[in-house]
Every structure is written in C-alpha cells, then in structure tokens.
Amino acid sequence: MQEAYVNINNIPTHIITWGKWIEESLNDVQEIIVCITGNPGLPGFYTEFGGALQKELGSDGHNLPVWVIGHAGHDDPPEASIREVPQLSGNAELFNLKGQIDHKIDFIKKYVPQHVKIHLIGHSIGAWMILQLLKEPEIRDRIKKCYMLFPTIERMMESPNGWVFTKVAMPLYSVFGYVFFNAFNWLPAWIRIFLIQIYFWIFAIPNHFLGTALKYTKPSVAEKVVFLADDEMARVSVLQRDIIEENMHLLKFYYGTTDGWVPVDYYIQLKSAFPQVDAQLDNKNIAHAFVLRHSKPMASIVSNMIKQNVK
C-alpha cells in the first residue's frame, strides 16, 4: 500500500493505492480499478477494502492496480505539509457535487493513460458521481465497467436517513456544529481518542480506523463533509434514467437490504423500470457503510464482479 497527498484540481487530495502508484509507468498495464468513496470521503476508511480487493484479484492472477481517491477537502494533509486545502468560505464551487465531479475528472485525465481501461467502483454518492462521469465522452470511452455499491442515485432526501439528516441532523449542526467540533478539538488528544474508542466499542468499529476518525472530526473537514451532504439532499432527487439507459452495459448495481439511504423499494423500482439492468440485492446483511465492518466480504463480492469483466 502506498499513499500521499497529491494536487488534484488545485486541492491536496489523499490517494491510496495497491499495486502501481499513480505516478509509476502504466505502459505494461491494460486495466486498473479506481474507487470513488462515499461521504465522508476519507480514503483511510477504505484501506481494508482496497487491500482485500487487490489480494482477492491477485490470488487468481489478476494483478490490477487498485486506487482509492478521496473527496476534495475531506482529508487535510499533515500539518507539516506545504500544501493547504482552501477554506470552504468563498470556495463552495470546489467542494460541492459539481466540484467533486470536476475533481475526479481531473484525476483520471492526469493519471490514467489513454490506453488503460478503468473499472470504476462508486460507493454511495460515489455511484451518483460515476453517472455524471459517464456524460463525459473522454471518460466514458475509457471505462470498462462501473460497480455501483449501495448507490445513492435518487431521492436521497426522501429516504429514512435523508429525512433524519434534513429534519434533525442539519438543524442541530447549523446551531451547534461549529461549537461542538471546535470544542472537541480543544480537548487533549488522549480524551479525544478515548471518546472515539467508546463510540467504536458501542458500534463495533475496528480501532484501526481511529486515525481516520480523528481527521474526520477536524472542524475544517467536518464542515466540508456536511456541506457536501447538504448539496446531495438538494441535487440527488430524480433518477437519471437517460444515463442509465444509454450506459446499461457498463453498469452493475449492488443494493443493500438494511440501507437507510437506499431502501429496497429503490432496487425494486429500478428493476421494474429497466428489466434488463444488472442489479443485485445483497443477501449477506452488509451495511451501507460496509467499509467499517464488512470490507472483506464486500471485497470478495466486488472481486467476483470484476473477474467477470477483466480482459
């Protein structure tokens, strides 16, 4: 595993890779895997998934590089870094949904050579971003297959979690968010770690995500995560049927059965609208935020999908 903060669309961006690093020559590579995260878009949450996926594929001789790209502004570089993430105020266009899509387009154009085909994994809002990437002919022509995991591609505000976010979480954040995150970061490091460990223990989250969780609680990161989520509620509403119909051969959907963001009804209605669509319903009780507790079983599922589409 290799990782660094790379300048993408003028924003220091956390990239994690397995196999070839993004700046290594890909002359001998025909296909790669690029994973677009959900929100929050911190690649540190995807380390177990990415490593397990590359191992699963490698065991069958498919040594495809795996690259995970975080969202712009969701993961600040170390304090010693000479690069700084712009503040949200005055730079909303860099951190909203459109800005995040431009960010992914810039990454692909900059680091993926024209001859390399891309297996695109989109988790949650990452799946919606993939639909937007398919509108770009230069990107679309380079895609081998898209794997849409727990895809928030429609009616986000109408979902159970969307209702809680807009009616409860967002109003609370608007009043108390700034004070809470700043007060939390004023606490000594050992108290912050202790409080996060209690949260992890309650929700059975592995402690190896502790460092990433600490980054997530930084006020400058939290505000951009919430800002993007709020934009999602406003913009991800009507299913983009034309994009799905035009690109059905490129799309593979995977829906959960306990997903508060993407109810099973959304899967049923997608299958009804597009009987030929390649959509699968989970039967392993995997959660929407699979990277926290179900990375290995999800990596096994996705690796099997990819093996069916590798040249």
Side-chain angles (χ1 to χ4, degrees):
M1 185 182 93
Q2 293 177 272
E3 61 182 317
Y5 289 82
V6 181
N7 206 38
I8 308 293
N9 203 30
N10 297 315
I11 298 173
T13 303
H14 194 185
I15 307 292
I16 302 180
T17 70
W18 294 260
K20 296 259 187 175
W21 174 242
I22 60 170
E23 292 171 330
E24 287 185 57
S25 170
L26 296 179
N27 289 339
D28 59 340
V29 174
Q30 292 182 314
E31 301 176 24
I32 66 166
I33 299 163
V34 175
C35 178
I36 301 176
T37 67
N39 184 16
L42 291 89
F45 286 127
Y46 290 76
T47 51
E48 188 175 16
F49 171 71
L53 178 60
Q54 213 256 349
K55 185 177 180 181
E56 287 266 355
L57 290 166
S59 66
D60 281 355
H62 301 298
N63 294 310
L64 279 68
V66 177
W67 297 354
V68 177
I69 176 172
H71 292 322
H74 288 208
D75 198 341
D76 287 348
E79 292 182 4
S81 173
I82 59 173
R83 296 171 175 162
E84 289 186 1
V85 176
Q87 62 182 9
L88 177 59
S89 178
N91 295 292
E93 74 283 354
L94 295 175
F95 305 111
N96 60 14
L97 278 170
K98 185 182 183 305
Q100 298 294 351
I101 293 159
D102 291 342
H103 179 255
K104 308 308 176 287
I105 291 171
D106 187 51
F107 174 75
I108 291 171
K109 287 182 176 180
K110 189 172 184 179
Y111 290 107
V112 182
Q114 291 282 349
H115 75 277
V116 176
K117 289 292 185 180
I118 307 168
H119 294 267
L120 264 182
I121 299 172
H123 176 212
S124 191
I125 195 60
W128 188 86
M129 292 180 187
I130 285 176
L131 292 182
Q132 313 322 304
L133 293 178
L134 289 170
K135 296 178 183 179
E136 304 289 329
E138 187 178 345
I139 303 296
R140 181 183 183 275
D141 293 344
R142 298 158 72 176
I143 293 175
K144 185 70 175 284
K145 194 75 175 182
C146 305
Y147 311 91
M148 319 285 267
L149 311 181
F150 306 90
T152 53
I153 56 173
E154 59 173 312
R155 293 177 285 171
M156 284 193 69
M157 192 183 294
E158 297 174 31
S159 69
N161 285 6
W163 187 92
V164 171
F165 177 83
T166 54
K167 304 298 184 183
V168 181
M170 195 62 192
L172 286 174
Y173 178 83
S174 299
V175 177
F176 302 111
Y178 179 82
V179 173
F180 171 80
F181 283 103
N182 276 278
F184 184 82
N185 278 270
W186 287 335
L187 295 172
W190 70 269
I191 295 180
R192 282 182 279 144
I193 291 170
F194 177 69
L195 292 173
I196 292 173
Q197 284 177 324
I198 291 175
Y199 179 87
F200 279 12
W201 177 76
I202 293 171
F203 292 99
I205 299 172
N207 274 332
H208 58 251
F209 290 124
L210 182 60
T212 303
L214 281 168
K215 293 180 181 181
Y216 178 26
T217 61
K218 291 182 63 176
S220 60
V221 170
E223 68 172 356
K224 295 183 181 79
V225 169
V226 174
F227 173 75
L228 179 61
D230 193 41
D231 197 34
E232 292 168 23
M233 298 302 118
R235 293 193 57 193
V236 182
S237 54
V238 178
L239 183 67
Q240 296 173 305
R241 292 168 177 258
D242 55 337
I243 302 176
I244 293 173
E245 191 164 15
E246 291 169 11
N247 298 280
M248 203 176 301
H249 64 292
L250 293 175
L251 298 170
K252 167 72 178 182
F253 294 92
Y254 192 92
Y255 283 80
T257 54
T258 60
D259 195 335
W261 287 109
V262 191
V264 175
D265 282 352
Y266 290 14
Y267 163 80
I268 294 171
Q269 291 161 17
L270 180 75
K271 291 287 285 184
S272 176
F274 303 102
Q276 303 304 315
V277 72
D278 187 358
Q280 180 179 343
L281 194 62
D282 173 63
N283 61 4
K284 299 181 182 296
N285 203 34
I286 296 177
H288 180 91
F290 69 86
V291 291
L292 298 181
R293 290 182 290 270
H294 302 107
S295 286
K296 290 182 179 178
M298 199 67 231
S300 179
I301 291 167
V302 176
S303 69
N304 287 331
M305 294 177 185
I306 292 172
K307 289 172 188 176
Q308 295 173 22
N309 295 287
V310 173
K311 183 184 290 187

